[in-house]
Amino acid sequence: MPDQRDDSEAHTVEQMDEPVDVEALAVQAAAGDAAALDVLLVEIQPRVRRICGRMLLYPEDAEEAAQDALLLVATRIHTFAGRSRFTTWLHAVAANSARSTYRTLKRRAGELPTDDLPIAADPRTTSVIAGSRLDFLEALEVLNVDHPALVEPLLLRDVQELEYSDIADLLGIPLGTVKSRIHSARQIVQPLLAVR
């Protein structure tokens, strides 16, 4: 009996040292496995923070976006259909959460009463240097007005650095369409990022 207990303890320790298969966890969580979802959320948290941090200048804003993204994953994991890898789906969720946080910051800044306006502009909502993350987020907002189908492919490729094939799988569109949309989006966005 003691030998069996020692074997099971050793097996448990070995399992803890093995890398976690996030893709398998996501499939289990999407099927309703609450324990798998808990482990998944812990495993993806650093990745989600990095994704949001690439887009938002201030760590506090990136953390807010990351928490929103993790909440979305927890509540919407059942919508993960497995058409693409989970990590690709996660990139889209986190990037959209960062964009949403940016829009919220802009809206809050616009809602301040004139008596409460800061003397200096809030750098989280005002772009100072062309080519900064804020300029890019602002350009995405402009692009979204007339060409909403171009935003996500551009974001997934140029910010999240996903492969074209992963973007095609995630969005459920042909590879050629992905490349075309990214090319068109870059042509529209580039002049918006030019030094003024």
Side-chain angles (χ1 to χ4, degrees):
M1 288 293 216
D3 291 335
Q4 288 178 341
R5 193 183 72 192
D6 291 341
D7 288 343
S8 65
E9 287 175 9
H11 182 66
T12 304
V13 171
E14 285 176 25
Q15 286 177 333
M16 293 169 73
D17 291 338
E18 293 177 15
V20 176
D21 184 355
V22 174
E23 299 296 329
L25 277 174
V27 169
Q28 293 170 348
D33 185 336
L37 177 61
D38 290 342
V39 174
L40 178 68
L41 291 172
V42 169
E43 288 298 318
I44 65 172
Q45 189 172 11
R47 182 185 302 235
V48 170
R49 284 186 173 140
R50 277 192 308 274
I51 293 168
C52 294
R54 284 181 181 172
M55 297 182 64
L56 296 166
L57 194 59
Y58 287 85
E60 302 84 20
D61 300 335
E63 181 62 29
E64 180 181 336
Q67 292 305 314
D68 290 346
L70 290 168
L71 180 61
L72 279 171
V73 170
T75 58
R76 309 275 309 179
I77 188 69
H78 66 277
T79 65
F80 172 62
R83 282 193 331 232
S84 65
R85 292 191 334 249
F86 170 74
T87 52
T88 304
W89 182 81
L90 179 63
H91 275 265
V93 169
N96 286 334
S97 179
R99 287 181 58 221
S100 178
T101 298
Y102 176 72
R103 283 193 294 271
T104 299
L105 288 168
K106 277 185 63 173
R107 188 180 68 249
R108 284 184 203 154
E111 292 173 353
L112 285 176
T114 54
D115 295 343
D116 296 341
L117 287 175
I119 295 171
D122 183 348
R124 294 181 306 171
T125 58
T126 307
S127 177
V128 179
I129 303 168
S132 72
R133 285 179 272 186
L134 295 177
D135 280 326
F136 188 67
L137 286 168
E138 195 60 39
L140 288 177
E141 295 303 309
V142 170
L143 181 64
N144 192 51
V145 171
D146 293 324
H147 308 284
L150 303 181
V151 174
E152 197 163 19
L154 179 67
L155 188 60
L156 293 171
R157 179 64 185 158
D158 287 359
V159 176
Q160 303 308 325
E161 300 174 346
L162 295 182
E163 296 296 325
Y164 290 107
S165 58
D166 290 338
I167 298 168
D169 290 344
L170 177 66
L171 300 179
I173 56 178
L175 183 61
T177 303
V178 168
K179 290 180 178 182
S180 173
R181 287 182 183 178
I182 291 169
H183 177 74
S184 297
R186 286 174 177 161
Q187 286 186 319
I188 294 168
V189 166
Q190 194 169 25
L192 300 173
L193 300 176
V195 178
R196 295 170 196 105

